[in-house]
Amino acid sequence: MIEPFILRKIAKQALKEDLAYGDITTDTLFPHPIPAIGHIRAKGPLVVAGMDICLEVFKLLDACLEIKRGVKEGQEAKPGETIVTITADGHALLKGERSALNFLQRLCGIATLTRKFVEAVKAVSEHVCIMDTRKTTPGLRALEKEAVRLGGGLSHRHHLGGDLLFIKDNHIALAGGVTAALTLARKRLSPTTKIEVEVTSLAEVGEAIAGRAEIILLDNMSQATMREAVVLIRTEAPTVRIEASGGVCLENVTDIAATGVDMISIGRLTHSAPASDLSMDISTRW
Amino acid sequence: MIEPFILRKIAKQALKEDLAYGDITTDTLFPHPIPAIGHIRAKGPLVVAGMDICLEVFKLLDACLEIKRGVKEGQEAKPGETIVTITADGHALLKGERSALNFLQRLCGIATLTRKFVEAVKAVSEHVCIMDTRKTTPGLRALEKEAVRLGGGLSHRHHLGGDLLFIKDNHIALAGGVTAALTLARKRLSPTTKIEVEVTSLAEVGEAIAGRAEIILLDNMSQATMREAVVLIRTEAPTVRIEASGGVCLENVTDIAATGVDMISIGRLTHSAPASDLSMDISTRW
Amino acid sequence: MIEPFILRKIAKQALKEDLAYGDITTDTLFPHPIPAIGHIRAKGPLVVAGMDICLEVFKLLDACLEIKRGVKEGQEAKPGETIVTITADGHALLKGERSALNFLQRLCGIATLTRKFVEAVKAVSEHVCIMDTRKTTPGLRALEKEAVRLGGGLSHRHHLGGDLLFIKDNHIALAGGVTAALTLARKRLSPTTKIEVEVTSLAEVGEAIAGRAEIILLDNMSQATMREAVVLIRTEAPTVRIEASGGVCLENVTDIAATGVDMISIGRLTHSAPASDLSMDISTRW
Amino acid sequence: MIEPFILRKIAKQALKEDLAYGDITTDTLFPHPIPAIGHIRAKGPLVVAGMDICLEVFKLLDACLEIKRGVKEGQEAKPGETIVTITADGHALLKGERSALNFLQRLCGIATLTRKFVEAVKAVSEHVCIMDTRKTTPGLRALEKEAVRLGGGLSHRHHLGGDLLFIKDNHIALAGGVTAALTLARKRLSPTTKIEVEVTSLAEVGEAIAGRAEIILLDNMSQATMREAVVLIRTEAPTVRIEASGGVCLENVTDIAATGVDMISIGRLTHSAPASDLSMDISTRW
Amino acid sequence: MIEPFILRKIAKQALKEDLAYGDITTDTLFPHPIPAIGHIRAKGPLVVAGMDICLEVFKLLDACLEIKRGVKEGQEAKPGETIVTITADGHALLKGERSALNFLQRLCGIATLTRKFVEAVKAVSEHVCIMDTRKTTPGLRALEKEAVRLGGGLSHRHHLGGDLLFIKDNHIALAGGVTAALTLARKRLSPTTKIEVEVTSLAEVGEAIAGRAEIILLDNMSQATMREAVVLIRTEAPTVRIEASGGVCLENVTDIAATGVDMISIGRLTHSAPASDLSMDISTRW
Amino acid sequence: MIEPFILRKIAKQALKEDLAYGDITTDTLFPHPIPAIGHIRAKGPLVVAGMDICLEVFKLLDACLEIKRGVKEGQEAKPGETIVTITADGHALLKGERSALNFLQRLCGIATLTRKFVEAVKAVSEHVCIMDTRKTTPGLRALEKEAVRLGGGLSHRHHLGGDLLFIKDNHIALAGGVTAALTLARKRLSPTTKIEVEVTSLAEVGEAIAGRAEIILLDNMSQATMREAVVLIRTEAPTVRIEASGGVCLENVTDIAATGVDMISIGRLTHSAPASDLSMDISTRW
């Protein structure tokens, strides 16, 4: 959950991009308040996400608006279904429409795509998790990770500074190998910190186990290698959690899940989810 | 062009999301500076955009870095081609990598998709323009519109307050029709302001012409109706510019261009362009 | 209209300049709340503008205040007339007084001066517009342009990046002449963008017409030359709008209007309008 | 002196108002850098002020510019004289011109008007000080007070929270008189704090002396009363400093100075100084 | 008093440090609102300060909370006493607890320590003032100085730019002595400005008197010298106020007060006050 | 490590508190630049921390300064030892002195106190870690946690939203017990997240083990109970890490360490460390 005072700041920033110099059309056409009602509707099937930031946009423009939510966050809306109805001054609806929908279409898009991945893996595994990455839109990370959760996915680390020390390919390159990197990492580390390491071969899996990594990320491995790696890890280091990543798409995610990994992290959830198709219809109330 | 002092602010905001609490991995593994070199490479074909903001991220982390650009902005990179090479402290490369690529993959994605639309319409029309919309990512509008330009598209208005009074469907609904809206708009307007109106039928096209709109947007019309509308406008109001929008995709853009319109505006350029596939490889220099 | 969330930010910034370290006088003298009432009065004749930002200042200091507006925005107040009455905690009135009046005296001053120009040209022309410029106070442009509108003027472009490409003297100097500049401008421009060019001689007027400028600004011309230019443009390019600027004052504006131009833009509306004379009287309520 | 890191913030804010969406004219006309030189010249006589903030604007746009100052801050420029010459990329000069001049014309205007007041009182008094007030432009107080100093005036308090407890008319109204207000003020005050009180009659002057005010402000008194007040204070409380204010203009300032007061504070120095007339000419360097 | 809109900004900044990525514990454990009540209690004796900023933290998280203050600001709380009770959504209480207490424990700590100094000097002097310094926590100066006032101390200058010109050791070093510094200071100074000078020997006291300093700070003098200095100043310059500073602690403050100085300024009030011991207990309401 | 662009922002904020209205003393005394040199010296024994933010303050005021570090961060300085020497314009040294030392004295104070705890436990345990908490100064958390690291301590979680789900007393109170809370926590959690739970009795220790907490915090237990808890956990759940907290001071930390826990977290490291005693001497260079 993102606190309202943080949402408000993000919403303000979006509105400033669009409204910093006023709305010449709305203000010229309608010099007086217009009692109005707006319906935001799904035009295709989607999973609802981003409703809080969407509504925050309108609240900034009309503090007295009334909201009636149709479809809850995390639930699926059918084409034509009304997601939310907003009763407000028409100025607020006209001026906020684009900014609000820009948030909503992106975040519903992410939740919808995540849901597809979650559904896809259910067939082969009860417990495998669909995870997000840090491949998010600059400025919108918290919102996008929340949308992944609403779609049924889970959050990988939020930023570089948390309680997870995550050794990736370029760290390994500069450190001189997986073993070297794990040794450096172990030197002086808080006991509250977990260590994850990215590996690309069975040899590196061995180094990761020997170096006592707590999570091992199998990156861009063939499914055959991945299966071998899973067996190796389950045998040698049964408490280690296993993550897979690299070019995951709806076509291959079921096979990857079937290898027995615990987590599949997918960049495209946030960087390439197509926007959901939504529209807002505004009409007068009188 | 976006001024460097504005780019810097956007880059800082992105880095704060990722680095506000430091980079536990890099700082733990590498307590000392590491002379390093990073190559950003295209993994698939793409049109380069967003290089300035990408580099601004690294400059914030190492003011002394050296840059060698490979492929220029607006040009196509082939798979495997190096877009830019950065010589810097390895800390800066490791810490900035994700934020920089998050910008780059999105903006190259937009330029690449725009280029496809621009190429598609060239076959049928010398002069038709591919235009962006306000359906951009909140906080990144200026960057995304710049990416559209690098892809070969042009910029529609940046925000609601410019010198273009643009009457859209919901304005018409609240005003009580195209004629009513245009009459309201004409009341007290600066002579420097252009008027555009969105129409959905031939009847509305007639109203728009009668109301002396300077640009008419044909929204979600069938191609047959669009052709009729173009003929009508060219006959009755030859100085009026004609724009088309609504569900434009690579499959139908050529047919739309063939109707004779001047501009085709496409929301998906910015809201649904898939991220370009890019990677950064870092190695030591010694 | 400037959205309240933007006004709030400007008001906060003003109060921070004055109140960042508290108000030693008010807080020392009055340790407890004081029910009070404040009347803001015109001390000379003026046109009211800036009331929203003035009240926003007080709202930041007492969220529960009550407001009774006397003279509406855009209307004239007579000397001694109460423009607004605010019932609030005396602390809010004492602490906000100076910041609120600093906004109000400047914005009323601008509206009042604009009104004088508007009245002056009415005698000779029904349609000529008094326009503002970008010669505004840094940080207050939106407020000052709104004050010009309330005085009866219209808004020229808000900033350098809108839908009006405006070629001024220094662009012409660097481009190598009016014709050269217009040619460069035409190269790759969105059909939604208008082109205006500044000219200083009849020869340049000819170049501007030939280069298909949509608005021609006659800058610092003698009235005789201006009349010739108007005739030339009306004859050769009847759809072109004509603007005049340069040293416009109340003494010469009627003559300039009589030359037949469409718009007269006046820097002094915003850069040299004398502050309106206003005062606030605070008294206790009990 | 205003520290550069603070100037930079103010300059950025000004540029954002003008350049947030780029400069369509300059970027369209000139796709490549243009070696250029700009001369800022006085068009009428003026006292130079605001040069630091003016140059900060250009530095934000071209970090490598070269500056040659002509007339120093605080000195008078003759009509036609070059105040500063800037060698830079033409883009920086074109994009920064308006914002930079907007600062400069206002601040030179303030310094120029202050100088006139300072010169006017020199004839009658060696020691009387011309003082500014808090009637400044919101957001620009520090710059405007600096301009008063460059014009030869001195700074009254900067904000409500300093080491000067200043009891004004509305404090007196709420406290129930000068004596009552001074008594309240004395209750618990740091020995580092001075007390000033505003009075409007000889009776109140008596109260102010009795209440041990350290500075007495004679507000809106006739010159006859002012003279009596000065005699009274010099006799009864020789260490008290005397300030005069209220409707001070160039016509009456000499007479006010002749009454023997120590300071004359003048709102119009900052709220109504006409902008100085300045221009910038840009030409190419090749 | 610090205005609420300024408190809000400081509170937001604190919460962002703690909550920018949400509260994984609270949001995971409690997906729904929990009616709850929180009691903030003193665990040792303390003087209450910082309640406004503490409550502002919670208001940001639940705008509908209800507050019942137990012990007022500036009053002493006994161990176990409830200082404030907050009825709110349990999420707001859990998420705000640490940030709110971080403010409260520091500000109560400062007020409590100040009170001890104030009590200590009462025995020997009716009029001596305990003063704060600028040795405050960056970002929290206004709050910390307010806490000193609540503890019974007074405020020395807030910042470097006020109406007090304060010549300290390093100014004297660069100016070449106390006399030289005072001469430079007198050159061009507003009559509203007081002058204070720091001295370390009786010779410098003499220079300070001769140079007409209005406040003399005896820094790090032995008590014997201090006594001599006080006698000297009272004899030669009876209107001068005398301040003492340097290594003041509870053990020596009474003796310093007994020397007859007017003010004792103490850095440790703000830089080394131990945090007060406070706790918050949260329970459900049902 | 805190990135320079973040340090810069914190330094700016500190300077704004002190310098927003200029430095009346320095600017009045010294109208021209003064080549100067400043030595920051330890006046008592201390561990150096905070040097980066201290220097950032001066860099903002003189971009061309030269720095010579004496004692490195994390090392001990003896009384009188020079920690850093700064060659710069005297204005920068005088204006930045207080803000820079305010950072330095606090951060050295934290590092120094931490070092004492680290030394104290070394006698009884090779591996026990001294940990910080979230009881930090609002706005300075990252700096204070870095100072703890320089003193030899380690970082507990930075904020509420990381990869550590930490169930504290109030969560347990609202959830209805340790077991209930752990059950709620397990429902839907990313495999990258660790779980820690705070317990206060052996019974709760049992619940924590049964609920598979990965870290158990023994809060405010007697040392006898603590020893029993350690034995219980080592026997039943050997991979669990054990943390102790509550009223830890230099007097009892060795005994606590001797109970065999892995980590001891200490609020007073950051909330009550006395400021280190430091001074800056400035002299001219010529």
mmCIF file of all heavy atoms in Angstrom, chain B residues 106-135:
data_model
loop_
_atom_site.group_PDB
_atom_site.id
_atom_site.type_symbol
_atom_site.label_atom_id
_atom_site.label_comp_id
_atom_site.label_asym_id
_atom_site.label_seq_id
_atom_site.Cartn_x
_atom_site.Cartn_y
_atom_site.Cartn_z
ATOM 1 N N ARG B 106 12.838 2.159 -22.599
ATOM 2 C CA ARG B 106 11.512 2.708 -22.886
ATOM 3 C C ARG B 106 11.571 3.679 -24.055
ATOM 4 O O ARG B 106 10.741 3.645 -24.961
ATOM 5 C CB ARG B 106 10.963 3.424 -21.656
ATOM 6 C CG ARG B 106 9.669 4.219 -21.915
ATOM 7 C CD ARG B 106 9.075 4.771 -20.636
ATOM 8 N NE ARG B 106 8.826 3.705 -19.696
ATOM 9 C CZ ARG B 106 7.746 2.931 -19.704
ATOM 10 N NH1 ARG B 106 6.780 3.134 -20.600
ATOM 11 N NH2 ARG B 106 7.607 1.978 -18.829
ATOM 12 N N LEU B 107 12.571 4.556 -24.043
ATOM 13 C CA LEU B 107 12.614 5.612 -25.054
ATOM 14 C C LEU B 107 13.037 5.064 -26.406
ATOM 15 O O LEU B 107 12.495 5.464 -27.447
ATOM 16 C CB LEU B 107 13.507 6.757 -24.566
ATOM 17 C CG LEU B 107 12.926 7.414 -23.288
ATOM 18 C CD1 LEU B 107 13.934 8.348 -22.653
ATOM 19 C CD2 LEU B 107 11.612 8.137 -23.568
ATOM 20 N N CYS B 108 13.964 4.120 -26.430
ATOM 21 C CA CYS B 108 14.274 3.432 -27.697
ATOM 22 C C CYS B 108 13.032 2.683 -28.189
ATOM 23 O O CYS B 108 12.755 2.645 -29.394
ATOM 24 C CB CYS B 108 15.427 2.447 -27.514
ATOM 25 S SG CYS B 108 17.016 3.223 -27.216
ATOM 26 N N GLY B 109 12.313 2.113 -27.272
ATOM 27 C CA GLY B 109 11.095 1.391 -27.656
ATOM 28 C C GLY B 109 10.109 2.303 -28.356
ATOM 29 O O GLY B 109 9.514 1.939 -29.385
ATOM 30 N N ILE B 110 9.948 3.492 -27.844
ATOM 31 C CA ILE B 110 9.014 4.443 -28.439
ATOM 32 C C ILE B 110 9.519 4.904 -29.806
ATOM 33 O O ILE B 110 8.757 4.966 -30.778
ATOM 34 C CB ILE B 110 8.826 5.644 -27.480
ATOM 35 C CG1 ILE B 110 8.006 5.198 -26.259
ATOM 36 C CG2 ILE B 110 8.157 6.816 -28.184
ATOM 37 C CD1 ILE B 110 7.931 6.224 -25.139
ATOM 38 N N ALA B 111 10.798 5.223 -29.896
ATOM 39 C CA ALA B 111 11.353 5.675 -31.181
ATOM 40 C C ALA B 111 11.260 4.569 -32.227
ATOM 41 O O ALA B 111 10.975 4.820 -33.398
ATOM 42 C CB ALA B 111 12.801 6.132 -31.000
ATOM 43 N N THR B 112 11.503 3.358 -31.780
ATOM 44 C CA THR B 112 11.489 2.222 -32.705
ATOM 45 C C THR B 112 10.074 1.976 -33.249
ATOM 46 O O THR B 112 9.874 1.762 -34.453
ATOM 47 C CB THR B 112 12.016 0.961 -31.987
ATOM 48 O OG1 THR B 112 13.313 1.252 -31.468
ATOM 49 C CG2 THR B 112 12.088 -0.234 -32.922
ATOM 50 N N LEU B 113 9.094 2.025 -32.375
ATOM 51 C CA LEU B 113 7.714 1.830 -32.824
ATOM 52 C C LEU B 113 7.271 2.980 -33.731
ATOM 53 O O LEU B 113 6.617 2.762 -34.765
ATOM 54 C CB LEU B 113 6.792 1.720 -31.605
ATOM 55 C CG LEU B 113 5.328 1.447 -31.914
ATOM 56 C CD1 LEU B 113 5.148 0.149 -32.701
ATOM 57 C CD2 LEU B 113 4.491 1.393 -30.630
ATOM 58 N N THR B 114 7.640 4.195 -33.360
ATOM 59 C CA THR B 114 7.280 5.353 -34.190
ATOM 60 C C THR B 114 7.856 5.193 -35.600
ATOM 61 O O THR B 114 7.174 5.421 -36.595
ATOM 62 C CB THR B 114 7.822 6.651 -33.562
ATOM 63 O OG1 THR B 114 7.317 6.764 -32.234
ATOM 64 C CG2 THR B 114 7.410 7.872 -34.366
ATOM 65 N N ARG B 115 9.121 4.794 -35.657
ATOM 66 C CA ARG B 115 9.766 4.611 -36.959
ATOM 67 C C ARG B 115 8.986 3.631 -37.836
ATOM 68 O O ARG B 115 8.832 3.834 -39.048
ATOM 69 C CB ARG B 115 11.220 4.122 -36.755
ATOM 70 C CG ARG B 115 12.061 3.915 -37.997
ATOM 71 C CD ARG B 115 12.365 5.190 -38.767
ATOM 72 N NE ARG B 115 12.886 6.269 -37.946
ATOM 73 C CZ ARG B 115 14.181 6.492 -37.666
ATOM 74 N NH1 ARG B 115 15.101 5.691 -38.181
ATOM 75 N NH2 ARG B 115 14.562 7.497 -36.911
ATOM 76 N N LYS B 116 8.473 2.584 -37.217
ATOM 77 C CA LYS B 116 7.694 1.601 -37.989
ATOM 78 C C LYS B 116 6.447 2.225 -38.591
ATOM 79 O O LYS B 116 6.093 1.974 -39.750
ATOM 80 C CB LYS B 116 7.288 0.427 -37.082
ATOM 81 C CG LYS B 116 8.446 -0.512 -36.776
ATOM 82 C CD LYS B 116 7.996 -1.677 -35.921
ATOM 83 C CE LYS B 116 9.229 -2.481 -35.450
ATOM 84 N NZ LYS B 116 8.897 -3.351 -34.310
ATOM 85 N N PHE B 117 5.759 3.066 -37.816
ATOM 86 C CA PHE B 117 4.575 3.733 -38.346
ATOM 87 C C PHE B 117 4.965 4.715 -39.456
ATOM 88 O O PHE B 117 4.290 4.809 -40.481
ATOM 89 C CB PHE B 117 3.841 4.476 -37.217
ATOM 90 C CG PHE B 117 2.938 3.589 -36.410
ATOM 91 C CD1 PHE B 117 3.345 3.054 -35.197
ATOM 92 C CD2 PHE B 117 1.649 3.283 -36.865
ATOM 93 C CE1 PHE B 117 2.515 2.240 -34.445
ATOM 94 C CE2 PHE B 117 0.799 2.469 -36.109
ATOM 95 C CZ PHE B 117 1.235 1.940 -34.902
ATOM 96 N N VAL B 118 6.063 5.445 -39.233
ATOM 97 C CA VAL B 118 6.494 6.428 -40.225
ATOM 98 C C VAL B 118 6.838 5.728 -41.543
ATOM 99 O O VAL B 118 6.434 6.179 -42.626
ATOM 100 C CB VAL B 118 7.706 7.228 -39.681
ATOM 101 C CG1 VAL B 118 8.356 8.052 -40.781
ATOM 102 C CG2 VAL B 118 7.268 8.120 -38.521
ATOM 103 N N GLU B 119 7.548 4.613 -41.432
ATOM 104 C CA GLU B 119 7.892 3.855 -42.649
ATOM 105 C C GLU B 119 6.633 3.337 -43.345
ATOM 106 O O GLU B 119 6.525 3.361 -44.567
ATOM 107 C CB GLU B 119 8.817 2.668 -42.301
ATOM 108 C CG GLU B 119 10.133 3.051 -41.643
ATOM 109 C CD GLU B 119 11.076 3.794 -42.587
ATOM 110 O OE1 GLU B 119 10.869 3.712 -43.811
ATOM 111 O OE2 GLU B 119 11.991 4.479 -42.077
ATOM 112 N N ALA B 120 5.689 2.875 -42.524
ATOM 113 C CA ALA B 120 4.478 2.265 -43.085
ATOM 114 C C ALA B 120 3.688 3.243 -43.947
ATOM 115 O O ALA B 120 3.146 2.880 -44.991
ATOM 116 C CB ALA B 120 3.589 1.718 -41.958
ATOM 117 N N VAL B 121 3.609 4.505 -43.522
ATOM 118 C CA VAL B 121 2.781 5.446 -44.275
ATOM 119 C C VAL B 121 3.511 6.073 -45.459
ATOM 120 O O VAL B 121 2.874 6.658 -46.343
ATOM 121 C CB VAL B 121 2.213 6.575 -43.380
ATOM 122 C CG1 VAL B 121 1.332 5.972 -42.281
ATOM 123 C CG2 VAL B 121 3.309 7.430 -42.775
ATOM 124 N N LYS B 122 4.813 5.949 -45.468
ATOM 125 C CA LYS B 122 5.579 6.563 -46.562
ATOM 126 C C LYS B 122 5.149 6.046 -47.928
ATOM 127 O O LYS B 122 5.177 6.763 -48.925
ATOM 128 C CB LYS B 122 7.076 6.280 -46.381
ATOM 129 C CG LYS B 122 7.794 7.403 -45.656
ATOM 130 C CD LYS B 122 9.298 7.267 -45.828
ATOM 131 C CE LYS B 122 10.013 8.244 -44.915
ATOM 132 N NZ LYS B 122 11.396 7.791 -44.660
ATOM 133 N N ALA B 123 4.774 4.798 -47.939
ATOM 134 C CA ALA B 123 4.387 4.160 -49.192
ATOM 135 C C ALA B 123 3.204 4.865 -49.838
ATOM 136 O O ALA B 123 3.132 4.998 -51.056
ATOM 137 C CB ALA B 123 4.044 2.690 -48.928
ATOM 138 N N VAL B 124 2.270 5.317 -49.037
ATOM 139 C CA VAL B 124 1.033 5.864 -49.606
ATOM 140 C C VAL B 124 0.954 7.382 -49.564
ATOM 141 O O VAL B 124 0.079 7.972 -50.198
ATOM 142 C CB VAL B 124 -0.214 5.296 -48.882
ATOM 143 C CG1 VAL B 124 -0.306 3.789 -49.130
ATOM 144 C CG2 VAL B 124 -0.181 5.619 -47.404
ATOM 145 N N SER B 125 1.830 8.032 -48.809
ATOM 146 C CA SER B 125 1.692 9.478 -48.706
ATOM 147 C C SER B 125 3.038 10.117 -48.411
ATOM 148 O O SER B 125 3.764 9.685 -47.531
ATOM 149 C CB SER B 125 0.692 9.826 -47.593
ATOM 150 O OG SER B 125 0.801 11.186 -47.259
ATOM 151 N N GLU B 126 3.324 11.188 -49.157
ATOM 152 C CA GLU B 126 4.559 11.933 -48.934
ATOM 153 C C GLU B 126 4.471 12.791 -47.680
ATOM 154 O O GLU B 126 5.436 13.053 -47.011
ATOM 155 C CB GLU B 126 4.817 12.876 -50.134
ATOM 156 C CG GLU B 126 5.517 12.236 -51.273
ATOM 157 C CD GLU B 126 6.901 11.731 -50.887
ATOM 158 O OE1 GLU B 126 7.754 12.527 -50.490
ATOM 159 O OE2 GLU B 126 7.115 10.486 -50.980
ATOM 160 N N HIS B 127 3.257 13.272 -47.423
ATOM 161 C CA HIS B 127 3.177 14.381 -46.475
ATOM 162 C C HIS B 127 2.473 14.049 -45.146
ATOM 163 O O HIS B 127 2.500 14.836 -44.217
ATOM 164 C CB HIS B 127 2.480 15.571 -47.131
ATOM 165 C CG HIS B 127 1.013 15.332 -47.314
ATOM 166 N ND1 HIS B 127 0.093 15.625 -46.337
ATOM 167 C CD2 HIS B 127 0.320 14.788 -48.339
ATOM 168 C CE1 HIS B 127 -1.113 15.287 -46.768
ATOM 169 N NE2 HIS B 127 -1.002 14.779 -47.969
ATOM 170 N N VAL B 128 1.870 12.879 -45.062
ATOM 171 C CA VAL B 128 1.109 12.608 -43.831
ATOM 172 C C VAL B 128 2.069 12.506 -42.623
ATOM 173 O O VAL B 128 3.151 11.954 -42.725
ATOM 174 C CB VAL B 128 0.254 11.328 -43.966
ATOM 175 C CG1 VAL B 128 1.118 10.093 -44.006
ATOM 176 C CG2 VAL B 128 -0.751 11.231 -42.825
ATOM 177 N N CYS B 129 1.657 13.096 -41.501
ATOM 178 C CA CYS B 129 2.511 13.120 -40.308
ATOM 179 C C CYS B 129 2.012 12.105 -39.278
ATOM 180 O O CYS B 129 0.818 12.020 -39.012
ATOM 181 C CB CYS B 129 2.466 14.483 -39.624
ATOM 182 S SG CYS B 129 2.826 15.850 -40.694
ATOM 183 N N ILE B 130 2.949 11.402 -38.676
ATOM 184 C CA ILE B 130 2.645 10.562 -37.521
ATOM 185 C C ILE B 130 2.827 11.436 -36.279
ATOM 186 O O ILE B 130 3.887 12.033 -36.081
ATOM 187 C CB ILE B 130 3.590 9.343 -37.476
ATOM 188 C CG1 ILE B 130 3.376 8.446 -38.712
ATOM 189 C CG2 ILE B 130 3.420 8.549 -36.180
ATOM 190 C CD1 ILE B 130 1.990 7.849 -38.840
ATOM 191 N N MET B 131 1.781 11.520 -35.462
ATOM 192 C CA MET B 131 1.774 12.447 -34.330
ATOM 193 C C MET B 131 1.648 11.686 -33.003
ATOM 194 O O MET B 131 0.955 10.678 -32.918
ATOM 195 C CB MET B 131 0.558 13.380 -34.423
ATOM 196 C CG MET B 131 0.337 14.060 -35.735
ATOM 197 S SD MET B 131 1.462 15.470 -35.978
ATOM 198 C CE MET B 131 0.888 16.591 -34.709
ATOM 199 N N ASP B 132 2.251 12.243 -31.969
ATOM 200 C CA ASP B 132 2.042 11.663 -30.647
ATOM 201 C C ASP B 132 0.774 12.226 -30.020
ATOM 202 O O ASP B 132 0.069 13.037 -30.621
ATOM 203 C CB ASP B 132 3.262 11.931 -29.753
ATOM 204 C CG ASP B 132 3.537 13.403 -29.557
ATOM 205 O OD1 ASP B 132 2.596 14.226 -29.611
ATOM 206 O OD2 ASP B 132 4.711 13.756 -29.347
ATOM 207 N N THR B 133 0.480 11.791 -28.800
ATOM 208 C CA THR B 133 -0.696 12.260 -28.063
ATOM 209 C C THR B 133 -0.243 12.638 -26.646
ATOM 210 O O THR B 133 0.946 12.650 -26.362
ATOM 211 C CB THR B 133 -1.748 11.140 -27.939
ATOM 212 O OG1 THR B 133 -1.181 10.104 -27.119
ATOM 213 C CG2 THR B 133 -2.118 10.566 -29.284
ATOM 214 N N ARG B 134 -1.192 12.925 -25.780
ATOM 215 C CA ARG B 134 -0.885 13.176 -24.367
ATOM 216 C C ARG B 134 -0.990 11.879 -23.560
ATOM 217 O O ARG B 134 -0.938 11.921 -22.328
ATOM 218 C CB ARG B 134 -1.810 14.244 -23.794
ATOM 219 C CG ARG B 134 -1.416 15.667 -24.241
ATOM 220 C CD ARG B 134 -2.499 16.688 -23.983
ATOM 221 N NE ARG B 134 -3.064 16.573 -22.684
ATOM 222 C CZ ARG B 134 -4.335 16.199 -22.420
ATOM 223 N NH1 ARG B 134 -5.170 15.903 -23.413
ATOM 224 N NH2 ARG B 134 -4.759 16.110 -21.202
ATOM 225 N N LYS B 135 -1.106 10.731 -24.215
ATOM 226 C CA LYS B 135 -1.177 9.442 -23.518
ATOM 227 C C LYS B 135 0.227 8.953 -23.163
ATOM 228 O O LYS B 135 0.686 7.907 -23.636
ATOM 229 C CB LYS B 135 -1.919 8.428 -24.389
ATOM 230 C CG LYS B 135 -3.365 8.854 -24.655
ATOM 231 C CD LYS B 135 -4.172 7.815 -25.421
ATOM 232 C CE LYS B 135 -5.612 8.298 -25.580
ATOM 233 N NZ LYS B 135 -6.456 7.365 -26.334
#
